Amino acid sequence: MRRSFTIAATLLLILAASIHAAEKPNIILILADDLGYSDLGCYGGEIQTPHIDALATGGVKFTQLYNSTRCCPSRASLMTGLYPSQAGIGDFTTNRPSPNRGPGYLGRLNDQCVTLAEVLKPAGYGCYYVGKWHMHPETGPIRRGFDEFYGYTKDHSHDQYDADYYIRLPEGRQKEIDPADDEFYATDVFNDYAIEFIEQGQQSEKPWLLFLGHSSPHFPVQAPAERADKYMETYMRGWDVLREERYARMQSLGLVDGSHWKLPPRSLVPVDRDDIANGFPGVSNPAWDSLDADRQLDLARRMSIFAAMVEGVDTGVGNIVKHLEQTNDLENTLILFLSDNGACYEWGPFGFDGKSRKGETTLHTGDELRNIGGRGTHQSYGSAWANLGNTPLRLYKHFTHEGGISTPFIAHWPNGIKKRENWVREPAHVMDIMPTLLEVTGTKYPEKHQDKDITPTEGVSLLSAMRGEQLAERVIGFDHQAAHALRAGDWKAVYAKRMPHELKWELYNLAADRCEMNNLAEKHPERLNSMIEQWEEWAKHVNVIWEDETSKAVELDSPKIAYKCLTIEAIIEGNSPSGVVIAQGGNQHGYSLHFIDGLPTFDVRVKGKVTRLQALQKINGVVKIVATLKPNKMTITINDEPRISIESPGLIPVQPQDGLSIGSDDRTAAGDYLAPNQFNGKIQHHDVIVISEKHKRADGNQ
């Protein structure tokens, strides 16, 4: 009798546990990479995305979900419910964080934040991650709470066909899905692993979280040729016609209306070296009809491959939904779909070729066209197609104008959210996903984790907005590498970078002008000044550093160095410092005084080739470095020690287009290193002396 009671009680406990688990929704969060605001069919695009469109039809879709302008800051914000600089990735991941920039710029997730997995796992969730991590391998997915992982933890992108690069974690796990090398395509394998991990979650009888972080359609644009073929006819029609058609579809979908949206002219190409900007620095992307036939074919092929990548993501969504339907889990699974930033302009309207991204753009013709996007290739699609991707918004990824920070956002959960015909127009941010998931799962945000105090979440739950209620008005701030913005109600103050005009704060009323066509800064100076002050208060609150000239790159008036002898002086402070102190030039001509693991290093680049002079002893503390370039000799002197020298490659024969930069080299590398390359010490003094007919000085004393 006692045994029968025990069995019955056990069965009741199991039943109660299963009912409790069923009450908590499963969660699938799908993040596309560099997908533009209007690329999806349900947002007006011509790319075929029927499965994502079906989620939008059966759920809710937002018009004003903001991101943090670039891959890893957006991921850090989404993953933690904080602004990127509060989570430790204020601009980009790095192995050499500058101590002068503070906790916001560690280049990895810090110990004062918690991830979605670190919050949901203690609440009983199984947590799975597929795809691109990009929040630094030292703070990888397993270390930050996920149970299982397949994908890559290093860098922002990789060859889609390189099977060996993609890893299974925890260490020692065997790959459940391991296609032959000639059959491997990362987007497809990510989709397959999504279902593999869903099945593992279903077998666990616990609610589960799946984060599917696609690397598509980020460059390199790569897809099997036959997938891209069907789009060639479409994209040969050109970006001008397609922008008009997208805008018309967006109107018919109810996403835009003529009262406060207006299709702007083609966006400007950011100011950069002429070769990087494909000859269009600081001017509008060219008209499609102005290009010759070969260039049109090359560009249409690049965009066709991009479209095929997006369609590959959509195919995976369809497979996931079909599996959930077959296993009766669709009704109680919250599916969220979004992109990490606006469409990517890099570099100019013709894109680039090659991993170095040093300005090379190859014109592919004839039979070469179908090789674009194949194994071992590395192309981007360029700023003009990115302008199409962000229709009708201005600018691109990296920038804080609407084209850089606006993302499509879809939520589908039949048990928790009724489908809505109208659009959700509440301003929101990717940091709001954490509190949204806390609400739908009934989970409390922790004050401590592993004995560390945790920064309180900055986001707000979007569940009420998904259900048709209004959110309280709030301020949302943005900052990324000299691009700033503040959204306060309907008003937005924004500061651009790398534009041809005078750089200063602009002001827009987004309720009347979502496409930022009418700058009201001169009409409402008091409002603008007040919002700038609000931005500065916000920046201090979230650990943003924007005026520390000893720790970030400072561009000065560049001395004329062609056929001139040079003397470069610097007084620096640091313990075994690394990074660039002074650089001028790029991947063809220039010089750089920098450190490699504490060793002073002087690089001179002539016609692309670098000649290097490096000291043999590491330095610590405060040190004066003097480097000279003469027609036959390069030297370095450290304090009062004897100088060291080697034969020089001669004087730099042309004036480089990349300007003088202090504390970083963030365009194409003047020295033999990867850019961006930032100095991690303190620069007390710097000076570049040009010897010619007159003694000319570019003085940068601080």
Side-chain angles (χ1 to χ4, degrees), residues 35-45 47 49 52-53 310 337 408 410:
L35 181 78
Y37 184 71
S38 63
D39 280 328
L40 299 175
C42 53
Y43 277 74
I47 302 173
T49 55
I52 298 171
D53 298 348
V310 176
F337 183 96
I410 297 163

Side-chain angles (χ1 to χ4, degrees), residues 462-685:
L462 301 178
L463 186 59
S464 62
M466 293 173 182
R467 291 172 172 169
E469 300 174 22
Q470 285 192 329
L471 298 176
E473 189 173 296
R474 58 176 166 154
V475 169
I476 302 174
F478 305 86
D479 177 81
H480 183 66
Q481 295 179 338
H484 318 313
L486 187 90
R487 174 76 189 260
D490 291 331
W491 290 88
K492 180 183 175 185
V494 60
Y495 185 90
K497 59 181 180 178
R498 296 172 66 184
M499 289 288 106
H501 48 72
E502 180 184 357
L503 299 185
K504 56 185 179 181
W505 283 90
E506 302 166 9
L507 180 68
Y508 299 98
N509 185 326
L510 297 187
D513 179 24
R514 178 72 194 279
C515 300
E516 298 169 310
M517 299 287 288
N518 184 22
N519 181 8
L520 301 173
E522 293 185 1
K523 189 173 182 180
H524 299 286
E526 292 183 1
R527 180 184 290 276
L528 177 61
N529 290 334
S530 174
M531 292 185 70
I532 294 171
E533 290 178 2
Q534 282 184 282
W535 182 88
E536 292 177 350
E537 292 173 2
W538 167 84
K540 293 173 183 176
H541 170 65
V542 302
N543 303 321
V544 165
I545 301 294
W546 73 99
E547 290 181 339
D548 185 353
E549 303 298 348
T550 66
S551 63
K552 69 176 183 179
V554 183
E555 286 210 3
L556 307 172
D557 291 339
S558 299
K560 304 298 183 183
I561 64 174
Y563 291 110
K564 302 296 192 298
C565 297
L566 303 176
T567 298
I568 299 103
E569 299 177 354
I571 299 175
I572 67 97
E573 179 180 350
N575 294 318
S576 190
S578 290
V580 172
V581 178
I582 301 176
Q584 184 180 354
N587 66 340
Q588 293 302 306
H589 297 93
Y591 64 86
S592 176
L593 178 61
H594 61 107
F595 287 83
I596 301 176
D597 296 328
L599 297 175
T601 306
F602 183 34
D603 286 356
V604 174
R605 191 186 288 273
V606 175
K607 296 181 179 179
K609 182 179 178 181
V610 172
T611 302
R612 169 167 288 177
L613 174 60
Q614 187 173 65
L616 301 178
Q617 185 174 356
K618 293 185 178 182
I619 69 164
N620 291 290
V622 178
V623 179
K624 180 178 180 180
I625 310 291
V626 179
T628 69
L629 172 66
K630 297 182 179 180
N632 60 352
K633 186 182 292 186
M634 294 168 55
T635 71
I636 289 181
T637 304
I638 303 171
N639 289 334
D640 296 323
E641 299 293 323
R643 72 180 58 183
I644 61 173
S645 64
I646 60 170
E647 183 179 350
S648 81
L651 301 179
I652 296 169
V654 299
Q655 177 68 16
Q657 294 191 38
D658 284 10
L660 180 67
S661 186
I662 308 301
S664 179
D665 188 352
D666 61 357
R667 294 193 181 178
T668 62
D672 189 10
Y673 44 73
L674 295 176
N677 189 329
Q678 186 174 1
F679 186 56
N680 66 0
K682 184 176 181 180
I683 303 169
Q684 295 185 354
H685 165 90

Side-chain angles (χ1 to χ4, degrees), residues 80 122 254 258 271 323 468 651 689:
T80 64
V271 174
H323 175 80
L651 301 179
I689 303 169

Side-chain angles (χ1 to χ4, degrees), residues 238-283:
W239 46 65
D240 292 317
V241 170
L242 295 174
R243 281 185 81 221
E244 295 280 355
E245 292 179 352
R246 281 198 185 192
Y247 187 67
R249 281 193 296 270
M250 297 172 88
Q251 289 178 303
S252 66
L253 289 167
L255 171 56
V256 309
D257 67 73
S259 64
H260 64 284
W261 300 71
K262 183 179 180 181
L263 183 64
R266 290 182 297 274
S267 281
L268 298 178
V269 179
V271 174
D272 215 320
R273 276 196 359 236
D274 192 69
D275 56 339
I276 286 178
N278 304 146
F280 295 88
V283 299

Side-chain angles (χ1 to χ4, degrees), residues 31 67 73 104 185 197 215 268 332 381 387 396 413 442 456 462 510 522 574 576 590 610 619 626 671 686 697:
L31 184 67
N67 55 65
Y185 179 66
F197 286 162
S215 55
L268 298 178
N332 199 39
Y381 71 160
N387 189 198
Y396 329 85
W413 180 24
L462 301 178
L510 297 187
E522 293 185 1
S576 190
V610 172
I619 69 164
V626 179
H686 57 77
R697 175 181 293 261

Side-chain angles (χ1 to χ4, degrees), residues 69-120:
T69 80
R70 202 170 181 189
C71 309
C72 48
S74 290
R75 280 167 169 74
S77 185
L78 188 160
M79 186 62 65
T80 64
L82 303 171
Y83 285 106
S85 50
Q86 292 177 302
I89 307 180
D91 49 20
F92 211 70
T93 55
T94 180
N95 291 320
R96 296 190 298 270
S98 170
N100 294 328
R101 299 197 73 192
Y105 301 89
L106 295 176
R108 59 171 175 81
L109 294 180
N110 62 32
D111 295 331
Q112 288 70 52
C113 67
V114 284
T115 68
L116 294 171
E118 287 170 329
V119 173
L120 292 179

